[in-house]
Amino acid sequence: MTAYINLEQVNFRWPQGGQVLSEINLSIEKNQTIALMGANGSGKTTLSKLILGLLKPTGGRVLLAGRPVESYSLAARGRLLGYVFQNPERQFFAPDVAEEIGFALKYRNLSPEKIQERVAEMLALFELEQYAATFPFNLSQGEKQRLALAAILAPRPDFIIMDEPFLGLDWLRKQRLQAILERVRNEGVGYLLISHDQALCARLCSQTLTLEGGRLL
Amino acid sequence: MTENHGFPDVRTLFALVLVITSLAITINDPLWLTGLLAVSLAALLAAKIPLSLLGRRLRRYRWLFLILALAQSLSNGSGRVFLEWRGYVLLSAGGLLAALAALLRITVILAAVLLLTLKDYQQMVTGLAQIRVPYELAYMVLLAVRFIPVLVEEFRNSLVAIELRGVDLKAIPLREKIKVYSYLLMPTTAGALIRSRRIAIAMEARAFRAYPRRTWLEWPKLSALDWLIIVLVLVGGAGILWIKFKGVIA
């Protein structure tokens, strides 16, 4: 049986640049928690975008739930995988925090009561209640990071890819985010965590992968 | 410094682009517009700018062209009528010529503007300052131009972010679609405002506008060939406009 996410002999090279990734073979189960580490520019974000089908491999193939990732529409991929961008601002578009969290829920046939309940739950979990009516761009970096995660977790995707979610968070917030991710893991939702924080990765993930010279170690 | 930084000077390009685009906007005759397109393409080839760049831009805006051409064709019912529905002229000779003129006009403008890619950002600012545009204004204009691709990129990013939340934009009803697209204006506008505020602070922190005058690292001189082209282009452009206003050209 194939894993939930499968990368087979994946290569990637930018049109006018050098080789970024070479012969990547990776299988991830739905409930697996994996950390992806590596130096700046080692191709961590590129790998995550290949999994999501935002970039096309120059060689090999990426399978999602047994099918080539490009055979899904972007929206279908978004329903299976949650993606937290490295720069959280890139994923905001709603006029306020509550709407940002509830946006995806409206397109999943949930009742207005259920949506409200889920939004309230996320606002409380990420300590964003007092900002419910705030314009997302006016939040601090740490608050933006929390909102990005809340918005992605609200529709409960099968698997989450997080690109440096701890960036810009203070010690206390890191601890709280760690607790949230532990809860996510205990609920059986897997994730791929891109981070430079070795200790946090070791605590939150069952396996750590390292990218070096375009290859997985 | 008053060195010559190679032909063509940025002011020569400004003159060319200004005259070609002004003529393209003013003239409606497809034959003259074709001539103008030939001049623009010749200028691109002479400047060694690959025509595939123009092709790529044309492909990117193909739907806009089609809509524009259709609108022009429908709004002009003169000449021989080819298609009519309940008394409304849908396709006529005049409409087809108007559509053709609209397409040629946009192609000419896109081709002419491509000439500016020969120069970098700093050379453009210097060029504007040399034609007596206040340097504050020159920087403002060029920052605005530089932001256009950034805004387009941000718009695309937001679109991807929306679809990644599981919203299939092709499948949702039109009313919902309009609502979702209206959402896209939010991050694009906010992002532009935030970025411009940051850039303004960064520039002022480096003493931008601290003094009424500024010195320039480079102040290129026009070569004889530059002068010749500028004069020819301005006189030629003025001549064509004169003929146009005499009613010889449509």
Side-chain angles (χ1 to χ4, degrees):
Chain A
M1 219 174 89
T2 53
Y4 192 61
I5 297 167
N6 247 312
L7 279 81
E8 296 173 357
Q9 292 290 105
V10 168
N11 289 292
F12 185 78
R13 164 193 286 274
W14 290 111
Q16 273 128 15
Q19 192 77 20
V20 182
L21 298 168
S22 305
E23 291 166 32
I24 303 287
N25 289 297
L26 179 63
S27 295
I28 305 174
E29 296 298 341
K30 209 190 253 189
N31 57 359
Q32 242 183 315
T33 52
I34 294 184
L36 183 60
M37 303 191 73
N40 289 337
S42 59
K44 302 185 295 295
T45 300
T46 305
L47 183 63
S48 70
K49 287 185 177 173
L50 283 165
I51 292 174
L52 211 66
L54 292 179
L55 293 174
K56 214 174 150 193
T58 43
R61 60 179 192 157
V62 179
L63 301 175
L64 177 61
R67 272 171 50 194
V69 71
E70 65 274 11
S71 69
Y72 295 93
S73 68
L74 194 54
R77 278 175 254 160
R79 268 180 234 127
L80 298 174
L81 302 172
Y83 187 75
V84 182
F85 286 80
Q86 195 172 34
N87 177 4
E89 259 179 27
R90 278 187 60 177
Q91 68 183 69
F92 298 151
F93 44 79
D96 61 58
V97 166
E99 176 77 18
E100 186 71 43
I101 296 173
F103 178 82
L105 302 173
K106 288 181 187 165
Y107 297 91
R108 279 169 169 76
N109 291 330
L110 292 176
S111 66
E113 296 76 31
K114 189 76 196 162
I115 292 173
Q116 246 176 342
E117 188 188 307
R118 189 85 63 86
V119 170
E121 183 195 336
M122 286 293 146
L123 285 171
L125 189 63
F126 286 89
E127 298 173 53
L128 290 166
E129 292 118 314
Q130 70 269 41
Y131 304 116
T134 305
F135 182 44
F137 280 75
N138 288 341
L139 297 175
S140 73
Q141 184 61 24
E143 287 154 1
K144 280 178 190 164
Q145 203 67 267
R146 272 143 57 205
L147 172 60
L149 264 166
I152 294 303
L153 284 173
R156 296 183 180 157
D158 286 350
F159 191 87
I160 309 161
I161 299 170
M162 293 171 279
D163 198 350
E164 306 210 28
F166 295 105
L167 207 70
L169 298 189
D170 58 32
W171 183 85
L172 187 67
R173 303 283 182 214
K174 273 188 186 177
Q175 298 304 307
R176 287 186 180 158
L177 181 55
Q178 188 187 322
I180 291 165
L181 290 181
E182 276 166 356
R183 205 176 123 176
V184 167
R185 182 177 59 187
N186 294 339
E187 281 174 8
V189 177
Y191 50 77
L192 177 75
L193 174 65
I194 298 174
S195 175
H196 289 288
D197 194 324
Q198 213 159 3
L200 272 172
C201 285
R203 230 171 290 155
L204 288 167
C205 303
S206 57
Q207 193 184 346
T208 299
L209 304 170
T210 307
L211 264 173
E212 203 181 294
R215 289 172 192 274
L216 274 180
L217 301 182
Chain B
M1 277 190 219
T2 53
E3 293 164 45
N4 186 332
H5 281 264
F7 174 80
D9 185 273
V10 71
R11 286 160 288 177
T12 312
L13 295 177
F14 285 156
L16 258 169
V17 174
L18 180 78
V19 169
I20 292 175
T21 52
S22 305
L23 289 176
I25 291 165
T26 324
I27 293 171
N28 291 316
D29 187 330
L31 203 63
W32 277 82
L33 284 168
T34 308
L36 217 48
L37 180 61
V39 171
S40 312
L41 295 180
L44 286 182
L45 287 173
K48 294 192 176 103
I49 296 174
L51 292 184
S52 58
L53 265 180
L54 177 64
R56 228 176 290 159
R57 285 186 184 199
L58 290 172
R59 261 199 307 278
R60 200 185 299 161
Y61 301 112
R62 61 190 182 276
W63 291 110
L64 186 72
F65 294 160
L66 196 70
I67 291 166
L68 210 69
L70 268 174
Q72 289 283 340
S73 170
L74 290 172
S75 62
N76 189 331
S78 63
R80 195 176 151 198
V81 174
F82 299 118
L83 192 65
E84 202 176 0
W85 185 69
R86 293 187 182 180
Y88 291 103
V89 178
L90 296 178
L91 196 63
S92 67
L96 277 178
L97 281 177
L100 180 65
L103 291 180
L104 283 167
R105 184 173 293 124
I106 299 170
T107 313
V108 168
I109 292 171
L110 284 177
V113 171
L114 263 181
L115 285 171
L116 294 176
T117 58
L118 278 177
K119 298 292 171 185
D120 65 27
Y121 173 71
Q122 190 56 49
Q123 287 170 319
M124 300 272 238
V125 175
T126 312
L128 284 172
Q130 286 185 306
I131 55 170
R132 306 285 165 96
V133 174
Y135 78 87
E136 295 96 331
L137 203 64
Y139 270 101
M140 269 191 266
V141 169
L142 281 155
L143 275 175
V145 173
R146 213 185 103 192
F147 268 129
I148 293 169
V150 178
L151 289 177
V152 172
E153 181 66 22
E154 258 173 29
F155 192 82
R156 281 204 199 119
N157 285 342
S158 300
L159 207 61
V160 168
I162 286 181
E163 292 207 69
L164 278 179
R165 300 273 181 99
V167 181
D168 196 342
L169 288 171
K170 284 180 198 141
I172 59 174
L174 185 67
R175 193 188 284 183
E176 272 299 304
K177 207 177 282 184
I178 293 169
K179 196 179 155 199
V180 170
Y181 273 102
S182 72
Y183 270 146
L184 292 176
L185 292 174
M186 190 75 73
T188 315
T189 316
L193 286 173
I194 290 168
R195 192 168 298 113
S196 51
R197 203 184 303 151
R198 280 184 199 150
I199 285 185
I201 293 168
M203 286 172 85
E204 282 175 17
R206 283 189 252 167
F208 183 74
R209 295 184 70 210
Y211 306 100
R213 287 177 55 137
R214 57 165 292 164
T215 50
W216 297 87
L217 197 59
E218 291 173 349
W219 197 255
K221 270 201 315 196
L222 286 172
S223 68
L225 192 55
D226 279 307
W227 276 115
L228 180 71
I229 291 178
I230 291 174
V231 171
L232 277 177
V233 161
L234 291 178
V235 171
I240 295 171
L241 280 179
W242 185 75
I243 300 172
K244 154 88 188 163
F245 289 117
K246 280 279 174 190
V248 180
I249 314 170

